[in-house]
Structures are given as C-alpha cells and as structure tokens.
Amino acid sequence: MAARSSRLSLALLLVLGAAGLCAAKEYDFFYLVVQWPGSYCDTKQSCCYPKSGKPAADFVIHGLWPNYIDGSYPLNCDPDSEFDPSKVSDLLSSLRAHWPTLACPANDGVSFWRHQWDKYGTCAAGVVDEHDYFQAALRLRDQLSVLSALTAAGVNPDGGYYTLGQIKDAIQQRTGFEPYVECNRDKSGNSQLYQVSFCVDPAGDRLMECPVLPHGKACGSRIKFPAFLLLIFSPS
Ligand code: AMP
C-alpha cells in the first residue's frame, strides 16, 4: 500500500514537473522589428499602399516576435486563437497608421495583422492577450522614435549614403539600446536601410539589451537611406 502511494506521488510529481517546465519555456523575450517603408517599396517586388492611404514617411511596425535566448523561436502556437479585429477596435486607427500593410493587392491591413498574430502573437498569448500584444508594439514604436533619432544625427531619408556605424550610433544615442540593422536591395542592387530590431522583455513593457542577435540580411559598407515617395504600383 505504501509502495503504491509513493509510486502515485512520483507519477504526479513527474506530470506536474513537466507541466511546469513547459509553462516556464513559453519564450524569453521579443524582437520588435520596425521597417522603413521606402525600402520595402523600392525593391523589385514593389508595394501597394493600404486602402486607408499612403502611410506617413516614418518607420512602421513589421512585427513583435517571441524568441528564446538560444536564438530559436516558437511559431504558430495556437490555431484556436484566431485574430479577432473586434478585440483591437480601439487600436485600429493607430494600427493603420503605424502597422500598415504594404503588400499587394491593396487591402485594409487585417490580413497582415492576422498573419502576425497567428504566426507570432499566439506564441505570447499566455503572457499578453491580443489587445496587449498589439498595444505593446505600438507603444514601443512610439517610444523609440527611430526616424527622429536618425535625423537628429544627420542621417536623413533623402537617398544619401551612410555607414552602419553612423546609423547604429544615432539610434543607440537616442534610444539607449544597440539596434540590429538589416538591409535589403533597391531595384539597382544598392544596399539600403530596411529594418531595425530591438529587444523587449516578455511582458512587452520594456526595451532591453538583446540576449542574442536576430538573423537578417547584412548591410554593405555604404547604406542608402531612400526617400518614401513614389506610389509604384497600386491595383485596386
Ligand atoms: P514574416 O512572417 O513576418 O516574416 O513576414 C514575412 C512576409 O511579410 C513577407 O512575405 C514580407 O514580404 C511580408 N511583409 C513584410 N513587411 C510587410 C508589410 N509592411 N506589409 C505587408 N507585408 C509585409
């Protein structure tokens, strides 16, 4: 009888231990990735402005992505937790302005937000719900003011060329955090400033130093900072 109950206790401990380990391994931090729309739009793939109109010439949000400190990351964690626009109804005008879709054909942005929530947000859903997830990204983007950090240091979106050091220093000076800078290529093959990533604590409250750097296309020695001007292609 004593042996049986101690076997039961051991089994219970193993089950509880495994559950505890799973809960603890939810994710370790987020990457907040902001994007220069001029560099999304002047590549070979081009872009479409959202139905709400051309976004302002400022950095926009690409995503808020949960990560582990070993560099790996969870994806598509909960197919039952579908993106529900009614849960972010108070944020929709900010989402349109600062997390706009630039994909073609032109649309209202819901499919981009749904993609981001389904693929990444659901992996944070045990810590932040859908509303807090989108609100955190919007708040952190505002706080970072990446464009004004750059322009204050003379790094302007005017088609000029800058070094990686100039870009990183300008952002670090203003935000206090070392960013990860990713480049892509314009139609002529020039390396240009595309995305800037920062690390955020798991609750989505505070910026933090990155425990591990993200993956992304490295930059050339001369980095173009293009203007965000032309509507290149806009099928309705
Ligand atoms: P992700 O799963 O976030 O890595 O998304 C990658 C996809 O999102 C690629 O197909 C990108 O072209 C697309 N993407 C990146 N930025 C935007 C944007 N601002 N609007 C719409 N789609 C985007």
Side-chain angles (χ1 to χ4, degrees):
M1 180 69 181
R4 187 162 168 247
S5 84
S6 69
R7 270 204 304 276
L8 273 175
S9 312
L10 183 64
L12 193 63
L13 274 176
L14 285 173
V15 169
L16 289 175
L21 279 178
C22 291
K25 194 57 185 155
E26 195 116 34
Y27 58 100
D28 299 315
F29 67 98
F30 288 109
Y31 287 121
L32 174 72
V33 183
V34 298
Q35 178 185 80
W36 178 247
S39 299
Y40 183 91
C41 286
D42 72 355
T43 65
K44 282 190 190 138
Q45 83 185 349
S46 84
C47 77
C48 292
Y49 297 155
K51 286 198 164 149
S52 49
K54 183 190 173 193
D58 199 350
F59 281 83
V60 293
I61 299 167
H62 180 168
L64 182 66
W65 301 339
N67 252 261
Y68 301 121
I69 48 178
D70 68 4
S72 66
Y73 45 87
L75 290 176
N76 301 307
C77 294
D78 186 0
D80 294 330
S81 167
E82 275 183 16
F83 177 72
D84 177 356
S86 73
K87 292 186 178 157
V88 290
S89 52
D90 61 320
L91 302 176
L92 284 177
S93 67
S94 299
L95 288 170
R96 283 188 205 105
H98 304 303
W99 200 330
T101 179
L102 293 168
C104 297
N107 65 90
D108 61 7
V110 171
S111 59
F112 186 37
W113 305 324
R114 173 173 292 121
H115 169 80
Q116 291 297 316
W117 172 254
D118 292 352
K119 186 170 174 185
Y120 304 102
T122 54
C123 298
V127 181
V128 284
D129 64 17
E130 183 189 308
H131 183 271
D132 292 350
Y133 174 81
F134 285 95
Q135 189 174 47
L138 290 165
R139 195 177 48 73
L140 291 159
R141 190 213 73 97
D142 265 10
Q143 184 188 329
L144 283 161
S145 299
V146 173
L147 183 61
S148 59
L150 288 167
T151 56
V155 178
N156 297 304
D158 56 6
Y161 285 80
Y162 304 90
T163 65
L164 183 59
Q166 279 175 295
I167 292 168
K168 284 175 73 171
D169 286 354
I171 295 172
Q172 184 159 14
Q173 192 98 38
R174 183 63 83 89
T175 64
F177 292 92
E178 185 181 349
Y180 178 75
V181 176
E182 183 189 342
C183 290
N184 67 358
R185 293 197 180 271
D186 70 8
K187 285 198 184 71
S188 312
N190 299 304
S191 177
Q192 59 179 359
L193 175 55
Y194 174 45
Q195 298 198 130
V196 184
S197 303
F198 299 87
C199 290
V200 178
D201 77 305
D205 288 335
R206 286 185 313 279
L207 294 158
M208 57 184 268
E209 288 302 335
C210 286
V212 55
L213 289 178
H215 307 290
K217 285 218 183 75
C219 298
S221 52
R222 297 168 74 242
I223 301 170
K224 185 173 140 186
F225 193 6
F228 179 40
L229 286 176
L230 296 171
L231 177 54
I232 296 154
F233 176 60
S234 180
S236 52

